[in-house]
Amino acid sequence: MKPLLEVNIHKLLLKNPVMTASGTFGYGPEFEDFYDPSVLGGIVVKGTTGQLRQGNPYPRMAETPMGMLNAVGLQNKGVDGFIKDIYPKISHYNTHMIVNVSGSTVEEYIEVAEKINALEHIPAIELNISCPNVKEGGMAFGTSCPSAIAVTQAVREVYKKTLIVKLSPNVTNIAEMALAVEGAGADAVSVINTLLGMAIDAETRQPVLSTITGGLSGPAIKPVALRMVWQVSKAIKIPVIGLGGIMTATDAIEFLLAGATAVQIGTANFIDPAVGPKIIAGISDYLERHQIADVRSLIGGLRTS
Amino acid sequence: MKKYIHDFEIIENREINEGHFVLVVKLSEPLPPVFPGQFAEVKIEGSPNTFLRRPLSIHDVDYAANTISLLVQRKGDGTTHLGTFKPGDTLNMVYPLGNQFHIGSAGEKVLLVGGGCGVAPLLYLGKILAKNGIKVTTLMGARKGDQLMEPEQYQRNGELLITTEDGSEGTKGFVIHHEIWRERNFAFDRVYTCGPDAMMKAVARLAARNNVPCQVSLEQTMACGVGACLCCVVDTTTGHRCTCTDGPVFDASELKNWID
C-alpha cells in the first residue's frame, strides 16, 4: 500500500505536504513545461500588493555559497492586475492556490486581503509580514509583536478563509512572534522567510545588490530554518509550514520531523525546475522504507531523549 | 515554446583562445527546435561555490548531429570549472530559454556586431539569416588579434569584418570605429548586436542614426531563467521586464536610456 500523504492546514486538505514558496514559482504556468503544477499540495504565488510595483533596481540578486541573496522588492501587477490578468489563468489548477499578501500599511494589507477573499478558487492567503526588501511595511510588521498582532488582527477581521502568516527569521525570539500571530487569529504560520544578508564586491568595493542588503535563501539557511520550525512548533497549536533551503526529499522530511505539517520548496525551483514531484515521490519512498503508513505520523516525530 | 531539462553528453571541449572555449554537447534523441538568440541554463556539477545554473547563449545548433555549441568565457569559479569538462562528461541543461532574434525577409542586408565573447549568439543567427536568403555581414571586435573568436566560422555566413583595439588584426579601434558605419558605406536594413553594454549602446545609437532597427541581446545575472524569480530585470519603456523571458533579445528602442 502506498503511504498516505494528505495533511491538513486548517481547513485545507493538501494532497501531499509539498507546496511551492512565494516568489520562486511564479504563478504556476512558468513551470508547466516541466510538470503539472496540480500535483503539488499547494502553490503560494508571488507577493501581491495594493498597487502595481516595479520592485527594486537591478542588480537584485547575488549568488552566495550554497544560496543566493535577492532584493526583488515585491515587483508585481498589484491585486487588481492579479485578479484581471493572472487569476483566470491559474484558477483551473487542481491544487490549493494561495496568494501571498504584502503591503506598506495595514490599510493596504486589508485592501488586498478583502479583494482576494472574494476569489472562489483562492482558499487561503499567506500574509507576508517578513519581506526584507521593501522600505516600508514588509519585515517592519514582522519584527515586533505589537505590529505583527495589529496587521494580523486587522486582516483577520476582513478575511474569512484560511489565514497563514509568514514569519521573519530576523527576530530574537521567533516563538514569541508565532504566539503573537496565533493569538491574533492566524490559522497557520510559514517559517521562515529569507534571512537579511549582504554581498560585497571586493574589487569595486561596492555592494552587489542595488539595495545593499537582501534576503538570503537556499541550503545555507536550512539549519536556521529547521531550528526555528522546531521552536515555533513547540510553542503554538496551529500548523507550521516549514521552508528554508529545502532541496531534497530528505530535507523536507527533516522539516516534518522538526514539527512542520507541510513544507514549501523555494530556491530549489531555480536549480531544478522539475524538483517538486521528485520531493513528493521521495517523501513517499521514505515512508515506505520506514514502513510508515501515514505522513502525519512523522510530524514532530523528532526523537530526543 | 516548450522548455526541456536534458542531460547532454559533451563530445568536444575546444580551447579557442586564452580565456574562451567552445563546448559541443550532444543529445541522445532528436533536438527540439532551438532559435537564434535563445540560451540554456547550464548546471555546473563539481564546483562547490556555483550554486545557481549559468545562462549561456546558444552558439550553434546542428540538427543532423543533435548537437548544440556553447561559447564560454572563463569568468569565475563556475565557468572555469566548466572548462575542465571532458568528452564523455554529462552536462545538464534547461533549454531553450528566452525569446529569439527577429528574422526579416529574404533580400535584406543585415549587420551583426559582436564584441568579445558577445559574438556567441551571432554565429547561429548568421547561419539562419543566410539560410533565409538574407545577406549577412558580421563585424567582430576583440582586444587583440589572438582574442578573436574563431573568425573563420563566421565567414560561412557571409562577409566578415574585424576590429581590434591594438590594430593587430583588421581595423584598429572598437567596432564602432569601423568604416562600415560611415554614412556613404552604411547599406544595411537591420542591425543585430551582442557584447558589453557600452558597446551595444554605441552600436544601437549608430543604427538609430542610420535609421535602421537594432536588436540587442542582453546579459544579466539570473537565477531561474524561466521568469519566476524576477531577478534579471531590465528597465524598459514599459517598466521592469525579465531578461530571461521577455528577452534576452530586445529592440534597442524598448530599453530605457539606450538611445538618446
Side-chain angles (χ1 to χ4, degrees):
Chain A
M1 266 240 312
K2 280 271 167 207
L4 298 173
L5 291 179
E6 290 176 348
V7 295
N8 285 86
I9 299 290
H10 185 238
K11 287 182 201 159
L12 310 186
L13 176 64
L14 276 55
K15 64 180 85 169
N16 62 63
V18 179
M19 311 162 78
T20 50
S22 178
T24 67
F25 201 68
Y27 296 92
E30 292 86 344
F31 289 79
E32 273 182 19
D33 283 346
F34 308 112
Y35 66 94
D36 175 6
S38 294
V39 305
L40 295 162
I43 296 173
V44 187
V45 306
K46 179 73 190 160
T48 302
T49 52
Q51 303 298 320
L52 178 149
R53 290 197 191 194
Q54 288 294 334
N56 291 318
Y58 182 89
R60 297 172 165 190
M61 194 275 287
E63 187 182 39
T64 67
M66 295 307 281
M68 59 178 273
L69 289 157
N70 90 80
V72 171
L74 296 177
Q75 179 178 328
N76 78 101
K77 290 189 165 192
V79 65
D80 295 334
F82 170 79
I83 293 169
K84 187 170 152 282
D85 301 331
I86 300 162
Y87 178 65
K89 293 180 192 148
I90 62 172
S91 51
H92 67 283
Y93 285 140
N94 179 25
T95 183
H96 298 294
M97 300 303 294
I98 299 168
V99 175
N100 180 283
V101 171
S102 299
S104 298
T105 60
V106 172
E107 291 70 30
E108 187 178 0
Y109 280 99
I110 292 172
E111 181 203 342
V112 178
E114 269 188 316
K115 288 181 174 171
I116 300 293
N117 193 54
L119 303 178
E120 187 193 344
H121 299 286
I122 307 290
I125 59 172
E126 182 181 70
L127 205 59
N128 182 357
I129 58 168
S130 43
C131 176
N133 294 323
V134 289
K135 282 201 187 98
E136 289 154 348
M139 198 172 85
F141 285 104
T143 49
S144 97
C145 283
S147 59
I149 289 169
V151 67
T152 306
Q153 268 177 352
V155 169
R156 178 76 286 175
E157 275 176 36
V158 299
Y159 190 75
K160 305 305 171 198
K161 304 180 201 172
T162 298
L163 173 61
I164 304 164
V165 178
K166 189 168 185 178
L167 300 181
S168 172
N170 303 300
V171 295
T172 310
N173 186 341
I174 195 159
E176 215 169 64
M177 300 299 304
L179 274 167
V181 301
E182 179 182 43
D187 299 315
V189 289
S190 294
V191 178
I192 58 178
N193 205 320
T194 55
L195 276 156
L196 197 59
M198 72 188 275
I200 295 173
D201 182 334
E203 291 304 315
T204 63
R205 307 188 193 183
Q206 288 172 332
V208 178
L209 299 174
S210 68
T211 47
I212 303 177
T213 63
L216 182 64
S217 64
I221 72 167
K222 195 188 88 174
V224 178
L226 270 178
R227 182 265 292 179
M228 289 187 162
V229 165
W230 179 66
Q231 289 176 326
V232 167
S233 69
K234 284 198 301 179
I236 60 175
K237 292 185 181 66
I238 54 175
V240 178
I241 301 165
L243 72 155
I246 296 175
M247 302 293 284
T248 64
T250 308
D251 293 335
I253 301 279
E254 292 170 20
F255 276 84
L256 299 178
L257 291 171
T261 298
V263 295
Q264 291 177 11
I265 312 304
T267 305
N269 294 309
F270 304 157
I271 316 297
D272 179 3
V275 75
K278 293 178 191 170
I279 292 182
I280 297 166
I283 293 173
S284 188
D285 290 347
Y286 173 93
L287 296 173
E288 277 190 72
R289 188 157 54 82
H290 288 266
Q291 297 176 318
I292 298 167
D294 187 338
V295 73
R296 285 177 242 226
S297 50
L298 266 191
I299 298 166
L302 184 70
R303 291 175 177 155
T304 55
S305 52
Chain B
M1 188 184 315
K2 191 165 161 61
K3 302 179 276 284
Y4 299 85
I5 312 174
H6 281 150
D7 278 336
F8 285 74
E9 182 191 346
I10 292 177
I11 57 167
E12 188 183 355
N13 180 352
R14 184 168 80 231
E15 199 72 15
I16 62 170
N17 59 39
E18 199 189 331
H20 299 92
F21 57 95
V22 168
L23 288 179
V24 183
V25 300
K26 185 179 171 69
L27 188 65
S28 58
E29 55 188 285
L31 276 179
V34 178
F35 294 97
Q38 294 194 294
F39 65 99
E41 279 265 53
V42 172
K43 180 96 179 80
I44 304 177
E45 300 286 355
S47 177
N49 287 336
T50 308
F51 176 63
L52 299 167
R53 287 173 181 265
R54 290 292 181 269
L56 298 174
S57 281
I58 303 290
H59 181 47
D60 202 2
V61 178
D62 183 341
Y63 288 107
N66 292 318
T67 60
I68 289 176
S69 298
L70 305 165
L71 165 56
V72 191
Q73 178 185 21
R74 285 192 184 84
K75 215 169 176 179
D77 287 356
T79 47
T80 300
H81 183 69
L82 187 59
T84 68
F85 280 40
K86 291 182 176 56
D89 288 347
T90 298
L91 192 67
N92 183 270
M93 308 206 299
V94 180
Y95 78 108
L97 302 175
N99 65 353
Q100 51 185 294
F101 287 111
H102 172 72
I103 310 283
S105 33
E108 271 190 9
K109 290 183 195 166
V110 300
L111 179 63
L112 280 54
V113 187
C117 68
V119 297
L122 303 184
L123 182 64
Y124 185 46
L125 172 63
K127 186 163 139 180
I128 298 298
L129 288 167
K131 202 184 259 181
N132 280 273
I134 291 165
K135 190 164 179 284
V136 176
T137 299
T138 306
L139 171 57
M140 177 188 287
R143 276 189 290 119
K144 43 191 184 153
D146 61 11
Q147 280 288 304
L148 288 164
M149 310 286 167
E150 299 188 317
E152 63 286 353
Q153 301 247 26
Y154 299 80
Q155 281 169 336
R156 292 202 302 259
N157 300 332
E159 184 186 15
L160 174 70
L161 309 170
I162 286 170
T163 63
T164 53
E165 287 171 40
D166 68 352
S168 54
E169 214 160 316
T171 301
K172 185 173 170 32
F174 295 118
V175 288
I176 53 166
H177 298 134
H178 197 279
E179 60 179 14
I180 200 92
W181 294 108
R182 288 191 203 137
E183 219 171 302
R184 61 187 157 83
N185 297 335
F186 193 88
F188 300 102
D189 301 307
R190 208 182 285 279
V191 173
Y192 300 88
T193 185
C194 184
D197 272 7
M199 183 208 86
M200 289 196 288
K201 279 184 189 173
V203 166
R205 287 192 192 116
L206 285 172
R209 197 187 298 167
N210 283 290
N211 297 310
V212 299
C214 178
Q215 294 171 55
V216 306
S217 173
L218 299 182
E219 180 178 51
Q220 303 274 64
T221 311
M222 277 181 198
C224 71
V226 297
C229 69
L230 311 184
C231 289
C232 64
V233 291
V234 56
D235 218 1
T236 72
T237 50
T238 53
H240 277 153
R241 291 165 71 192
C242 282
T243 302
C244 67
T245 46
D246 297 316
V249 180
F250 291 91
D251 195 286
S253 61
E254 297 175 277
L255 301 174
K256 243 183 179 170
N257 306 320
W258 268 57
I259 302 171
D260 298 331

